[in-house]
Amino acid sequence: MNPFEFLRRRRSVPSRLLGEPGPSHDQVLAMLTEAVRVPDHGKLAPWRFLRIQGLARDTLGELLAARAVERDPQAPAAAVEKDRQRFSHAPVVLAVVGRLTPGHKVPVQEQLLSGGAVCFALLQAAQALGFGAQWLTGWAAYDPVVTARLGLGPDETVLGFIHVGTPSEEAPERQRPDAAALLGDWTP
Ligand SMILES: Cc1cc2nc3c(=O)[nH]c(=O)nc-3n(C[C@H](O)[C@H](O)[C@H](O)COP(=O)(O)O)c2cc1C
């Protein structure tokens, strides 16, 4: 067996293709338990999680739609509708929230990188349990009104919304970069 087989099979499943069943409470905890085992300089655990499921997904969609119009009163109806539906496809969305400590000897960049690793580990954990997942951000992740409604503090930021559910069809593989072309040797 190819030792990389599990990693090789990983690919995102677009959130609109994710449906019921989603991960149970125990499965979410199992996924998070794996996801927090990431490299974390200084053991800061500079992240936390917000689960968005059930009716909360639709409520967040309504909030997004209203905010989209507030941001751009000329926004096309189709775009606003897309925002309304954004969180309503996958049964469970886990927002990975970076809890940053500016001025710490561990630079903020490293805290963010650790959070990125958590997001990726969550994708793998979802796959290990037989679910599909996608890491999305979109404008809502960076909008101060939305993040305040999500309860984020001033030094917190959304690193990703990890949408998790059961794929309704197999997601196509995408073209991958040529690793060999990206490799250089440093020659002193
Ligand atoms: C930080 C981050 C944010 C992303 N946000 C979006 C997004 O908002 N919309 C989108 O279509 N893809 C987004 N993507 C890309 C998808 O998560 C994913 O990489 C892509 O669909 C193909 O993924 P795969 O390499 O996991 O198969 C984002 C990726 C990263 C790393």
Side-chain angles (χ1 to χ4, degrees):
M1 175 175 131
N2 181 334
F4 294 118
E5 194 182 331
F6 177 78
L7 300 176
R8 196 63 69 78
R9 274 193 289 116
R10 195 208 64 76
R11 67 182 67 162
S12 290
V13 180
S15 61
R16 67 190 152 72
L17 300 181
L18 296 172
E20 297 286 353
S24 65
H25 180 68
D26 285 352
Q27 286 174 314
V28 166
L29 286 182
M31 285 164 51
L32 296 180
T33 300
E34 298 312 313
V36 297
R37 299 183 71 263
V38 292
D40 167 18
H41 191 177
K43 287 200 207 155
L44 294 176
W47 9 261
R48 66 182 175 95
F49 307 98
L50 269 181
R51 176 171 45 195
I52 304 157
Q53 65 179 356
L55 291 178
R57 299 170 309 151
D58 305 327
T59 307
L60 183 55
E62 293 299 336
L63 171 70
L64 255 58
R67 180 65 182 142
V69 173
E70 199 172 77
R71 284 164 56 114
D72 175 11
Q74 314 302 327
V80 175
E81 197 47 37
K82 197 172 171 192
D83 283 327
R84 197 188 311 281
Q85 298 296 324
R86 223 169 256 281
F87 285 88
S88 298
H89 303 293
V92 173
V93 180
L94 294 166
V96 179
V97 177
R99 301 189 296 174
L100 307 175
T101 310
H104 194 277
K105 72 176 166 53
V106 174
V108 162
Q109 171 168 313
E110 296 188 12
Q111 299 171 37
L112 290 168
L113 286 168
S114 179
V118 166
C119 293
F120 184 64
L122 266 180
L123 295 178
Q124 290 184 311
Q127 176 189 325
L129 290 180
F131 294 107
Q134 191 179 30
W135 176 356
L136 299 176
T137 49
W139 64 265
Y142 308 105
D143 182 86
V145 171
V146 174
T147 54
R149 277 299 299 276
L150 288 172
L152 269 62
D155 288 321
E156 293 192 317
T157 183
V158 172
L159 300 177
F161 294 109
I162 312 297
H163 298 240
V164 188
T166 300
S168 59
E169 58 185 82
E170 196 172 332
E173 175 58 318
R174 56 157 46 183
Q175 201 178 359
R176 301 294 173 177
D178 174 7
L182 298 170
L183 176 65
D185 283 305
W186 179 66
T187 45

